[in-house]
Amino acid sequence: MSLYQCEHCGCCENTALGMQPRTPAKWFDWTGIEDREGKHLCSACGPTRYSQGTPTEYGKWHGQFDRVFLPMGKFKTNRVGNLEHIETGTEDFRSFALAKETNNG
Ligand SMILES: [Zn+2]
């Protein structure tokens, strides 16, 4: 498992709790969120239904750790599976955190 940046909201997510990389988009129903199709999404941004109509675990933040929003496109998953700031190479992504979202369920 590794950390990645959600390509829709920019937050830091873990592959064990959000989407695995390269999860086939055709597995899901993207109705209403067509702009997210094919992106690597966090648990909160992920589609709420599979293509057959059964609910996914996505659509809400998992709550296993704080949701940290980061500047979009500035981070990548590095060799050891941590989130790395592309410009500086630091893994201290929390120092780049944007506004914090309160947990309203
Ligand atoms: Zn997201």
Side-chain angles (χ1 to χ4, degrees), residues 4-7 9-11 69-78 82-93 95-98:
Y4 65 96
Q5 182 175 34
C6 173
E7 293 175 352
C9 73
C11 80
F69 291 93
L70 300 166
M72 188 64 82
K74 300 287 187 188
F75 291 85
K76 66 172 185 181
T77 304
N78 66 14
N82 285 325
L83 205 58
E84 179 179 310
H85 186 240
I86 294 167
E87 218 170 282
T88 63
T90 181
E91 292 180 2
D92 183 20
F93 64 86
S95 65
F96 298 92
L98 303 173

PDB file of all heavy atoms in Angstrom, residues 4-7 9-11 69-78 82-93 95-98:
ATOM      1  N   TYR A   4      -1.080   8.427  -2.105  1.00  0.00           N
ATOM      2  CA  TYR A   4      -1.205   9.098  -3.400  1.00  0.00           C
ATOM      3  C   TYR A   4      -2.059  10.338  -3.225  1.00  0.00           C
ATOM      4  O   TYR A   4      -2.749  10.501  -2.214  1.00  0.00           O
ATOM      5  CB  TYR A   4      -1.803   8.162  -4.446  1.00  0.00           C
ATOM      6  CG  TYR A   4      -3.233   7.732  -4.198  1.00  0.00           C
ATOM      7  CD1 TYR A   4      -4.303   8.387  -4.794  1.00  0.00           C
ATOM      8  CD2 TYR A   4      -3.506   6.651  -3.362  1.00  0.00           C
ATOM      9  CE1 TYR A   4      -5.618   7.988  -4.579  1.00  0.00           C
ATOM     10  CE2 TYR A   4      -4.816   6.249  -3.127  1.00  0.00           C
ATOM     11  CZ  TYR A   4      -5.865   6.917  -3.745  1.00  0.00           C
ATOM     12  OH  TYR A   4      -7.162   6.519  -3.518  1.00  0.00           O
ATOM     13  N   GLN A   5      -1.996  11.200  -4.222  1.00  0.00           N
ATOM     14  CA  GLN A   5      -2.824  12.406  -4.205  1.00  0.00           C
ATOM     15  C   GLN A   5      -4.069  12.171  -5.034  1.00  0.00           C
ATOM     16  O   GLN A   5      -3.969  11.788  -6.211  1.00  0.00           O
ATOM     17  CB  GLN A   5      -2.040  13.600  -4.751  1.00  0.00           C
ATOM     18  CG  GLN A   5      -2.857  14.894  -4.700  1.00  0.00           C
ATOM     19  CD  GLN A   5      -2.067  16.121  -5.112  1.00  0.00           C
ATOM     20  OE1 GLN A   5      -1.210  16.042  -5.977  1.00  0.00           O
ATOM     21  NE2 GLN A   5      -2.357  17.239  -4.480  1.00  0.00           N
ATOM     22  N   CYS A   6      -5.225  12.387  -4.458  1.00  0.00           N
ATOM     23  CA  CYS A   6      -6.479  12.278  -5.199  1.00  0.00           C
ATOM     24  C   CYS A   6      -6.460  13.268  -6.358  1.00  0.00           C
ATOM     25  O   CYS A   6      -6.156  14.445  -6.176  1.00  0.00           O
ATOM     26  CB  CYS A   6      -7.663  12.561  -4.279  1.00  0.00           C
ATOM     27  SG  CYS A   6      -9.242  12.639  -5.150  1.00  0.00           S
ATOM     28  N   GLU A   7      -6.795  12.790  -7.545  1.00  0.00           N
ATOM     29  CA  GLU A   7      -6.743  13.635  -8.735  1.00  0.00           C
ATOM     30  C   GLU A   7      -7.984  14.513  -8.899  1.00  0.00           C
ATOM     31  O   GLU A   7      -8.098  15.251  -9.862  1.00  0.00           O
ATOM     32  CB  GLU A   7      -6.544  12.763  -9.982  1.00  0.00           C
ATOM     33  CG  GLU A   7      -5.177  12.098  -9.997  1.00  0.00           C
ATOM     34  CD  GLU A   7      -4.973  11.118 -11.145  1.00  0.00           C
ATOM     35  OE1 GLU A   7      -5.946  10.817 -11.867  1.00  0.00           O
ATOM     36  OE2 GLU A   7      -3.841  10.659 -11.313  1.00  0.00           O
ATOM     37  N   CYS A   9      -9.777  16.023  -5.697  1.00  0.00           N
ATOM     38  CA  CYS A   9      -9.796  17.024  -4.622  1.00  0.00           C
ATOM     39  C   CYS A   9      -8.400  17.389  -4.145  1.00  0.00           C
ATOM     40  O   CYS A   9      -8.227  18.382  -3.447  1.00  0.00           O
ATOM     41  CB  CYS A   9     -10.646  16.538  -3.449  1.00  0.00           C
ATOM     42  SG  CYS A   9      -9.876  15.232  -2.474  1.00  0.00           S
ATOM     43  N   GLY A  10      -7.386  16.565  -4.479  1.00  0.00           N
ATOM     44  CA  GLY A  10      -6.017  16.890  -4.102  1.00  0.00           C
ATOM     45  C   GLY A  10      -5.596  16.402  -2.737  1.00  0.00           C
ATOM     46  O   GLY A  10      -4.477  16.687  -2.300  1.00  0.00           O
ATOM     47  N   CYS A  11      -6.445  15.680  -2.038  1.00  0.00           N
ATOM     48  CA  CYS A  11      -6.062  15.234  -0.702  1.00  0.00           C
ATOM     49  C   CYS A  11      -5.145  14.018  -0.763  1.00  0.00           C
ATOM     50  O   CYS A  11      -5.006  13.363  -1.794  1.00  0.00           O
ATOM     51  CB  CYS A  11      -7.300  14.924   0.146  1.00  0.00           C
ATOM     52  SG  CYS A  11      -8.049  13.320  -0.152  1.00  0.00           S
ATOM     53  N   PHE A  69      -5.676  18.213   2.543  1.00  0.00           N
ATOM     54  CA  PHE A  69      -5.767  18.713   1.168  1.00  0.00           C
ATOM     55  C   PHE A  69      -4.457  19.381   0.780  1.00  0.00           C
ATOM     56  O   PHE A  69      -3.910  20.185   1.536  1.00  0.00           O
ATOM     57  CB  PHE A  69      -6.920  19.711   1.035  1.00  0.00           C
ATOM     58  CG  PHE A  69      -8.266  19.067   1.168  1.00  0.00           C
ATOM     59  CD1 PHE A  69      -8.897  19.001   2.396  1.00  0.00           C
ATOM     60  CD2 PHE A  69      -8.894  18.513   0.068  1.00  0.00           C
ATOM     61  CE1 PHE A  69     -10.138  18.389   2.525  1.00  0.00           C
ATOM     62  CE2 PHE A  69     -10.128  17.903   0.185  1.00  0.00           C
ATOM     63  CZ  PHE A  69     -10.750  17.840   1.414  1.00  0.00           C
ATOM     64  N   LEU A  70      -3.976  19.037  -0.409  1.00  0.00           N
ATOM     65  CA  LEU A  70      -2.683  19.524  -0.876  1.00  0.00           C
ATOM     66  C   LEU A  70      -2.834  20.205  -2.232  1.00  0.00           C
ATOM     67  O   LEU A  70      -3.792  19.941  -2.962  1.00  0.00           O
ATOM     68  CB  LEU A  70      -1.717  18.330  -1.006  1.00  0.00           C
ATOM     69  CG  LEU A  70      -1.465  17.564   0.295  1.00  0.00           C
ATOM     70  CD1 LEU A  70      -0.802  16.234  -0.001  1.00  0.00           C
ATOM     71  CD2 LEU A  70      -0.643  18.394   1.256  1.00  0.00           C
ATOM     72  N   PRO A  71      -1.867  21.081  -2.571  1.00  0.00           N
ATOM     73  CA  PRO A  71      -1.937  21.753  -3.881  1.00  0.00           C
ATOM     74  C   PRO A  71      -1.990  20.724  -5.017  1.00  0.00           C
ATOM     75  O   PRO A  71      -1.154  19.823  -5.082  1.00  0.00           O
ATOM     76  CB  PRO A  71      -0.643  22.566  -3.936  1.00  0.00           C
ATOM     77  CG  PRO A  71      -0.230  22.740  -2.510  1.00  0.00           C
ATOM     78  CD  PRO A  71      -0.698  21.496  -1.798  1.00  0.00           C
ATOM     79  N   MET A  72      -2.977  20.863  -5.875  1.00  0.00           N
ATOM     80  CA  MET A  72      -3.221  19.898  -6.942  1.00  0.00           C
ATOM     81  C   MET A  72      -2.026  19.765  -7.894  1.00  0.00           C
ATOM     82  O   MET A  72      -1.451  20.761  -8.320  1.00  0.00           O
ATOM     83  CB  MET A  72      -4.459  20.335  -7.722  1.00  0.00           C
ATOM     84  CG  MET A  72      -4.942  19.319  -8.729  1.00  0.00           C
ATOM     85  SD  MET A  72      -5.503  17.786  -7.961  1.00  0.00           S
ATOM     86  CE  MET A  72      -7.178  18.240  -7.479  1.00  0.00           C
ATOM     87  N   GLY A  73      -1.663  18.528  -8.168  1.00  0.00           N
ATOM     88  CA  GLY A  73      -0.631  18.261  -9.159  1.00  0.00           C
ATOM     89  C   GLY A  73       0.795  18.488  -8.693  1.00  0.00           C
ATOM     90  O   GLY A  73       1.727  18.379  -9.487  1.00  0.00           O
ATOM     91  N   LYS A  74       0.985  18.780  -7.410  1.00  0.00           N
ATOM     92  CA  LYS A  74       2.324  19.078  -6.901  1.00  0.00           C
ATOM     93  C   LYS A  74       2.975  17.869  -6.244  1.00  0.00           C
ATOM     94  O   LYS A  74       4.108  17.944  -5.778  1.00  0.00           O
ATOM     95  CB  LYS A  74       2.258  20.217  -5.874  1.00  0.00           C
ATOM     96  CG  LYS A  74       1.712  21.518  -6.421  1.00  0.00           C
ATOM     97  CD  LYS A  74       2.718  22.188  -7.323  1.00  0.00           C
ATOM     98  CE  LYS A  74       2.240  23.573  -7.742  1.00  0.00           C
ATOM     99  NZ  LYS A  74       3.110  24.168  -8.755  1.00  0.00           N
ATOM    100  N   PHE A  75       2.244  16.747  -6.176  1.00  0.00           N
ATOM    101  CA  PHE A  75       2.744  15.593  -5.452  1.00  0.00           C
ATOM    102  C   PHE A  75       2.703  14.323  -6.302  1.00  0.00           C
ATOM    103  O   PHE A  75       1.875  14.185  -7.190  1.00  0.00           O
ATOM    104  CB  PHE A  75       1.922  15.371  -4.171  1.00  0.00           C
ATOM    105  CG  PHE A  75       2.149  16.451  -3.156  1.00  0.00           C
ATOM    106  CD1 PHE A  75       1.419  17.632  -3.222  1.00  0.00           C
ATOM    107  CD2 PHE A  75       3.104  16.311  -2.173  1.00  0.00           C
ATOM    108  CE1 PHE A  75       1.646  18.657  -2.319  1.00  0.00           C
ATOM    109  CE2 PHE A  75       3.340  17.324  -1.260  1.00  0.00           C
ATOM    110  CZ  PHE A  75       2.608  18.496  -1.334  1.00  0.00           C
ATOM    111  N   LYS A  76       3.615  13.414  -5.968  1.00  0.00           N
ATOM    112  CA  LYS A  76       3.617  12.115  -6.636  1.00  0.00           C
ATOM    113  C   LYS A  76       3.932  11.039  -5.606  1.00  0.00           C
ATOM    114  O   LYS A  76       4.476  11.310  -4.539  1.00  0.00           O
ATOM    115  CB  LYS A  76       4.675  12.091  -7.746  1.00  0.00           C
ATOM    116  CG  LYS A  76       6.101  12.200  -7.201  1.00  0.00           C
ATOM    117  CD  LYS A  76       7.148  11.981  -8.284  1.00  0.00           C
ATOM    118  CE  LYS A  76       8.555  11.987  -7.674  1.00  0.00           C
ATOM    119  NZ  LYS A  76       9.609  11.795  -8.655  1.00  0.00           N
ATOM    120  N   THR A  77       3.583   9.801  -5.943  1.00  0.00           N
ATOM    121  CA  THR A  77       3.945   8.674  -5.106  1.00  0.00           C
ATOM    122  C   THR A  77       5.378   8.285  -5.455  1.00  0.00           C
ATOM    123  O   THR A  77       5.683   8.027  -6.618  1.00  0.00           O
ATOM    124  CB  THR A  77       3.001   7.491  -5.363  1.00  0.00           C
ATOM    125  OG1 THR A  77       1.653   7.912  -5.156  1.00  0.00           O
ATOM    126  CG2 THR A  77       3.320   6.325  -4.454  1.00  0.00           C
ATOM    127  N   ASN A  78       6.263   8.264  -4.470  1.00  0.00           N
ATOM    128  CA  ASN A  78       7.660   7.950  -4.776  1.00  0.00           C
ATOM    129  C   ASN A  78       7.957   6.450  -4.663  1.00  0.00           C
ATOM    130  O   ASN A  78       7.054   5.646  -4.418  1.00  0.00           O
ATOM    131  CB  ASN A  78       8.606   8.807  -3.931  1.00  0.00           C
ATOM    132  CG  ASN A  78       8.524   8.487  -2.444  1.00  0.00           C
ATOM    133  OD1 ASN A  78       7.961   7.474  -2.046  1.00  0.00           O
ATOM    134  ND2 ASN A  78       9.092   9.351  -1.627  1.00  0.00           N
ATOM    135  N   ASN A  82       5.630   6.670  -0.472  1.00  0.00           N
ATOM    136  CA  ASN A  82       5.219   7.873   0.244  1.00  0.00           C
ATOM    137  C   ASN A  82       4.866   8.971  -0.740  1.00  0.00           C
ATOM    138  O   ASN A  82       5.234   8.917  -1.913  1.00  0.00           O
ATOM    139  CB  ASN A  82       6.337   8.349   1.174  1.00  0.00           C
ATOM    140  CG  ASN A  82       6.435   7.473   2.412  1.00  0.00           C
ATOM    141  OD1 ASN A  82       5.441   6.982   2.923  1.00  0.00           O
ATOM    142  ND2 ASN A  82       7.650   7.267   2.874  1.00  0.00           N
ATOM    143  N   LEU A  83       4.166   9.966  -0.230  1.00  0.00           N
ATOM    144  CA  LEU A  83       3.809  11.105  -1.065  1.00  0.00           C
ATOM    145  C   LEU A  83       4.956  12.102  -1.049  1.00  0.00           C
ATOM    146  O   LEU A  83       5.422  12.514   0.018  1.00  0.00           O
ATOM    147  CB  LEU A  83       2.521  11.742  -0.522  1.00  0.00           C
ATOM    148  CG  LEU A  83       1.682  12.530  -1.526  1.00  0.00           C
ATOM    149  CD1 LEU A  83       1.281  11.663  -2.698  1.00  0.00           C
ATOM    150  CD2 LEU A  83       0.435  13.068  -0.833  1.00  0.00           C
ATOM    151  N   GLU A  84       5.414  12.466  -2.225  1.00  0.00           N
ATOM    152  CA  GLU A  84       6.581  13.335  -2.346  1.00  0.00           C
ATOM    153  C   GLU A  84       6.207  14.628  -3.064  1.00  0.00           C
ATOM    154  O   GLU A  84       5.550  14.601  -4.099  1.00  0.00           O
ATOM    155  CB  GLU A  84       7.675  12.588  -3.119  1.00  0.00           C
ATOM    156  CG  GLU A  84       8.944  13.389  -3.341  1.00  0.00           C
ATOM    157  CD  GLU A  84      10.006  12.571  -4.097  1.00  0.00           C
ATOM    158  OE1 GLU A  84      10.282  11.425  -3.685  1.00  0.00           O
ATOM    159  OE2 GLU A  84      10.518  13.070  -5.106  1.00  0.00           O
ATOM    160  N   HIS A  85       6.659  15.747  -2.501  1.00  0.00           N
ATOM    161  CA  HIS A  85       6.473  17.045  -3.142  1.00  0.00           C
ATOM    162  C   HIS A  85       7.441  17.113  -4.314  1.00  0.00           C
ATOM    163  O   HIS A  85       8.655  17.027  -4.138  1.00  0.00           O
ATOM    164  CB  HIS A  85       6.745  18.173  -2.139  1.00  0.00           C
ATOM    165  CG  HIS A  85       6.440  19.539  -2.673  1.00  0.00           C
ATOM    166  ND1 HIS A  85       7.384  20.527  -2.776  1.00  0.00           N
ATOM    167  CD2 HIS A  85       5.276  20.066  -3.138  1.00  0.00           C
ATOM    168  CE1 HIS A  85       6.808  21.624  -3.277  1.00  0.00           C
ATOM    169  NE2 HIS A  85       5.544  21.378  -3.503  1.00  0.00           N
ATOM    170  N   ILE A  86       6.906  17.218  -5.524  1.00  0.00           N
ATOM    171  CA  ILE A  86       7.716  17.084  -6.739  1.00  0.00           C
ATOM    172  C   ILE A  86       8.835  18.128  -6.791  1.00  0.00           C
ATOM    173  O   ILE A  86       9.978  17.817  -7.127  1.00  0.00           O
ATOM    174  CB  ILE A  86       6.813  17.194  -7.987  1.00  0.00           C
ATOM    175  CG1 ILE A  86       5.847  15.996  -8.029  1.00  0.00           C
ATOM    176  CG2 ILE A  86       7.641  17.248  -9.265  1.00  0.00           C
ATOM    177  CD1 ILE A  86       4.708  16.125  -9.021  1.00  0.00           C
ATOM    178  N   GLU A  87       8.507  19.365  -6.428  1.00  0.00           N
ATOM    179  CA  GLU A  87       9.457  20.461  -6.556  1.00  0.00           C
ATOM    180  C   GLU A  87      10.651  20.329  -5.609  1.00  0.00           C
ATOM    181  O   GLU A  87      11.791  20.584  -5.990  1.00  0.00           O
ATOM    182  CB  GLU A  87       8.722  21.766  -6.259  1.00  0.00           C
ATOM    183  CG  GLU A  87       9.136  22.934  -7.132  1.00  0.00           C
ATOM    184  CD  GLU A  87       8.178  24.105  -6.921  1.00  0.00           C
ATOM    185  OE1 GLU A  87       7.070  24.063  -7.488  1.00  0.00           O
ATOM    186  OE2 GLU A  87       8.544  25.009  -6.178  1.00  0.00           O
ATOM    187  N   THR A  88      10.387  19.916  -4.365  1.00  0.00           N
ATOM    188  CA  THR A  88      11.447  19.906  -3.356  1.00  0.00           C
ATOM    189  C   THR A  88      11.936  18.500  -3.000  1.00  0.00           C
ATOM    190  O   THR A  88      13.004  18.349  -2.406  1.00  0.00           O
ATOM    191  CB  THR A  88      10.952  20.559  -2.045  1.00  0.00           C
ATOM    192  OG1 THR A  88       9.877  19.772  -1.528  1.00  0.00           O
ATOM    193  CG2 THR A  88      10.477  21.969  -2.303  1.00  0.00           C
ATOM    194  N   GLY A  89      11.147  17.471  -3.318  1.00  0.00           N
ATOM    195  CA  GLY A  89      11.529  16.106  -2.988  1.00  0.00           C
ATOM    196  C   GLY A  89      11.244  15.711  -1.558  1.00  0.00           C
ATOM    197  O   GLY A  89      11.543  14.600  -1.145  1.00  0.00           O
ATOM    198  N   THR A  90      10.633  16.604  -0.790  1.00  0.00           N
ATOM    199  CA  THR A  90      10.347  16.269   0.604  1.00  0.00           C
ATOM    200  C   THR A  90       9.118  15.371   0.714  1.00  0.00           C
ATOM    201  O   THR A  90       8.202  15.442  -0.108  1.00  0.00           O
ATOM    202  CB  THR A  90      10.147  17.539   1.461  1.00  0.00           C
ATOM    203  OG1 THR A  90       9.898  17.130   2.805  1.00  0.00           O
ATOM    204  CG2 THR A  90       8.967  18.355   0.984  1.00  0.00           C
ATOM    205  N   GLU A  91       9.118  14.509   1.737  1.00  0.00           N
ATOM    206  CA  GLU A  91       7.962  13.654   2.005  1.00  0.00           C
ATOM    207  C   GLU A  91       7.062  14.277   3.077  1.00  0.00           C
ATOM    208  O   GLU A  91       6.046  13.699   3.441  1.00  0.00           O
ATOM    209  CB  GLU A  91       8.424  12.268   2.465  1.00  0.00           C
ATOM    210  CG  GLU A  91       9.108  11.479   1.359  1.00  0.00           C
ATOM    211  CD  GLU A  91       9.553  10.100   1.829  1.00  0.00           C
ATOM    212  OE1 GLU A  91       9.310   9.742   2.987  1.00  0.00           O
ATOM    213  OE2 GLU A  91      10.170   9.384   1.012  1.00  0.00           O
ATOM    214  N   ASP A  92       7.457  15.429   3.576  1.00  0.00           N
ATOM    215  CA  ASP A  92       6.672  16.080   4.620  1.00  0.00           C
ATOM    216  C   ASP A  92       5.503  16.828   3.992  1.00  0.00           C
ATOM    217  O   ASP A  92       5.421  18.052   4.015  1.00  0.00           O
ATOM    218  CB  ASP A  92       7.568  17.035   5.429  1.00  0.00           C
ATOM    219  CG  ASP A  92       6.810  17.687   6.575  1.00  0.00           C
ATOM    220  OD1 ASP A  92       5.751  17.143   6.977  1.00  0.00           O
ATOM    221  OD2 ASP A  92       7.263  18.735   7.058  1.00  0.00           O
ATOM    222  N   PHE A  93       4.553  16.036   3.442  1.00  0.00           N
ATOM    223  CA  PHE A  93       3.446  16.653   2.699  1.00  0.00           C
ATOM    224  C   PHE A  93       2.551  17.508   3.594  1.00  0.00           C
ATOM    225  O   PHE A  93       1.918  18.443   3.127  1.00  0.00           O
ATOM    226  CB  PHE A  93       2.624  15.582   1.968  1.00  0.00           C
ATOM    227  CG  PHE A  93       1.917  14.609   2.878  1.00  0.00           C
ATOM    228  CD1 PHE A  93       0.673  14.905   3.395  1.00  0.00           C
ATOM    229  CD2 PHE A  93       2.501  13.392   3.196  1.00  0.00           C
ATOM    230  CE1 PHE A  93       0.019  14.008   4.234  1.00  0.00           C
ATOM    231  CE2 PHE A  93       1.856  12.483   4.035  1.00  0.00           C
ATOM    232  CZ  PHE A  93       0.619  12.796   4.556  1.00  0.00           C
ATOM    233  N   SER A  95       3.281  19.714   5.624  1.00  0.00           N
ATOM    234  CA  SER A  95       3.702  21.119   5.687  1.00  0.00           C
ATOM    235  C   SER A  95       3.142  21.925   4.514  1.00  0.00           C
ATOM    236  O   SER A  95       3.230  23.153   4.506  1.00  0.00           O
ATOM    237  CB  SER A  95       5.231  21.220   5.739  1.00  0.00           C
ATOM    238  OG  SER A  95       5.799  20.733   4.557  1.00  0.00           O
ATOM    239  N   PHE A  96       2.542  21.234   3.522  1.00  0.00           N
ATOM    240  CA  PHE A  96       1.949  21.917   2.371  1.00  0.00           C
ATOM    241  C   PHE A  96       0.423  21.919   2.445  1.00  0.00           C
ATOM    242  O   PHE A  96      -0.252  22.303   1.495  1.00  0.00           O
ATOM    243  CB  PHE A  96       2.381  21.241   1.059  1.00  0.00           C
ATOM    244  CG  PHE A  96       3.861  21.278   0.815  1.00  0.00           C
ATOM    245  CD1 PHE A  96       4.675  20.234   1.235  1.00  0.00           C
ATOM    246  CD2 PHE A  96       4.441  22.359   0.175  1.00  0.00           C
ATOM    247  CE1 PHE A  96       6.051  20.258   1.010  1.00  0.00           C
ATOM    248  CE2 PHE A  96       5.812  22.394  -0.049  1.00  0.00           C
ATOM    249  CZ  PHE A  96       6.612  21.347   0.369  1.00  0.00           C
ATOM    250  N   ALA A  97      -0.108  21.475   3.570  1.00  0.00           N
ATOM    251  CA  ALA A  97      -1.556  21.326   3.697  1.00  0.00           C
ATOM    252  C   ALA A  97      -2.294  22.635   3.467  1.00  0.00           C
ATOM    253  O   ALA A  97      -1.866  23.691   3.910  1.00  0.00           O
ATOM    254  CB  ALA A  97      -1.898  20.773   5.081  1.00  0.00           C
ATOM    255  N   LEU A  98      -3.413  22.536   2.761  1.00  0.00           N
ATOM    256  CA  LEU A  98      -4.292  23.694   2.548  1.00  0.00           C
ATOM    257  C   LEU A  98      -5.296  23.730   3.703  1.00  0.00           C
ATOM    258  O   LEU A  98      -5.016  23.225   4.772  1.00  0.00           O
ATOM    259  CB  LEU A  98      -4.978  23.557   1.177  1.00  0.00           C
ATOM    260  CG  LEU A  98      -4.032  23.414  -0.019  1.00  0.00           C
ATOM    261  CD1 LEU A  98      -4.815  23.126  -1.289  1.00  0.00           C
ATOM    262  CD2 LEU A  98      -3.179  24.662  -0.182  1.00  0.00           C
TER     263      LEU A  98
END
